[in-house]
Structure formats: structure tokens, C-alpha cells
């Protein structure tokens, strides 16, 4: 659902494993796979706070978090993966 909202350019964040890891790394006390109402509420509050502080859309904050931790790939390897040689 979040992906669909993002496709519609709705200011929605997507909770991926990397995003959750980045949130935990930033000190947010959430589960490794945050699905409970309590964890989702904590994430919403934190994202809203950062959006208010930075003026960035929630979808940008989500993307920044997801790309700031975990394995990142070079543009060339992504092109190869996507078949855009």
C-alpha cells in the first residue's frame, strides 16, 4: 500500500528492513521487523518530527534512512540488475 501511495506522489514513508535498522541506529526503540501498532506509532512520530525540523517530505526522509545503512550498490550494478546494460 505504501508503495502505491508513493507512486501517486502521496507523502508516505515505506518501512523497509534498512529503514527500520537506520531508525534503531538513530536510537528509536523498535523491533527488528516493526509491525505492532506501538512500533508504527513511534516511527510515525519520529518521521513527523524530522519532517517538521527539516522541511523534507516524509518520502524523502524514508529514502534517506533506507539508503544510509545496509548494502548500497553502484549505479552500474543496479543497471545490470535491472537489465539496462
Amino acid at each position: 500500500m505504501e508503495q502505491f501511495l508513493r507512486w501517486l506522489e502521496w507523502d508516505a514513508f515505506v518501512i523497509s528492513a534498512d529503514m527500520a535498522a537506520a531508525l534503531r541506529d538513530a536510537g528509536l526503540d523498535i523491533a527488528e521487523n516493526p509491525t505492532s501498532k506501538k512500533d508504527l506509532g513511534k516511527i510515525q512520530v519520529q518521521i513527523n518530527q524530522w519532517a517538521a525540523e527539516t522541511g523534507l517530505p516524509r518520502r524523502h526522509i524514508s529514502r534517506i534512512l533506507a539508503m544510509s545503512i545496509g548494502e548500497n550498490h553502484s549505479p552500474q550494478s543496479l543497471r545490470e540488475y535491472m537489465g539496462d546494460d
Side-chain angles (χ1 to χ4, degrees), residues 4-82:
F4 178 70
L5 291 173
R6 186 179 276 176
W7 180 75
L8 292 174
E9 297 186 18
W10 187 268
D11 190 20
F13 58 86
V14 177
I15 303 170
S16 65
D18 283 344
M19 182 199 179
L23 286 166
R24 285 192 311 279
D25 192 53
L28 197 62
D29 182 23
I30 56 172
E32 187 170 332
N33 183 18
T35 56
S36 71
K37 252 184 158 175
K38 184 177 180 180
D39 282 348
L40 296 176
K42 288 179 183 181
I43 292 169
Q44 182 73 59
V45 167
Q46 185 63 66
I47 298 293
N48 288 345
Q49 180 181 343
W50 284 334
E53 289 174 4
T54 64
L56 292 172
R58 288 161 189 80
R59 65 183 182 273
H60 289 190
I61 294 168
S62 172
R63 179 80 44 100
I64 291 166
L65 286 166
M67 296 178 106
S68 68
I69 200 164
E71 186 176 357
N72 291 302
H73 302 278
S74 70
Q76 180 59 36
S77 68
L78 291 173
R79 280 188 213 98
E80 290 170 5
Y81 175 77
M82 299 298 290

